[in-house]
Amino acid sequence: RKLLPLSDHVATYDFRPDLVDFLRLASASVSMAGYNTLSETLSLGIPALVVPRATPRVEQVLRAEAFQGQGLARVLHPDHLTPETLRTALQEVWAMAPGAGGRLPPGVDFAGRRRITRRVRKHLGIGGSL
C-alpha cells in the first residue's frame, strides 16, 4: 500500500485491497479498464476516467469504448497519454454534472444478486428475504 503523494489534492496508490470502500470517498476514478474496477466504479456512481491497457489484447480498449459510448466513462487512449491530456481529461470528468456518473442506461442495473437469490429460494422452497 504505497501512497504516492502528488499534491495536497491528489493521491495515487499502486494497490488498494479495500478498493470498493476506498472508491466511495473519490470524487473521480482514474483507472485502466478492468472489468471489476469499471463495474465497481459504475455501481457507485463515481465519474470515471479510463486509460485502458491496449496491448497485448484489446479487451480493455473495447470495454472502455463501450462504457464511453453509454456516457459512463471518459476514455483516454494510452497512445495519447501525456500529463496535459491526462489533466484535461480529468477536468472533463470532474466537470460532469453532479450525479452524472450515477445514471445508468436502460438495461443496466446491479440488482442481480437480489433477483437470483429470490429465484433460488423460490425454487428451493425456502422463505425469507435478503
Side-chain angles (χ1 to χ4, degrees), residues 62-80:
L62 296 173
R63 181 178 303 116
E65 289 173 353
F67 273 60
Q68 181 171 264
Q70 294 292 318
L72 300 171
R74 164 72 163 81
V75 176
L76 177 57
H77 195 279
D79 291 345
H80 302 124

Side-chain angles (χ1 to χ4, degrees), residues 5 18 27-28 37 44 46 57 61-62 69 78 81 93 95 106 113 124:
D18 57 343
S27 60
T37 301
L44 295 171
I46 306 298
R57 297 180 235 24
V61 173
L62 296 173
L81 181 61
V93 168
R113 183 178 69 90
L124 294 175

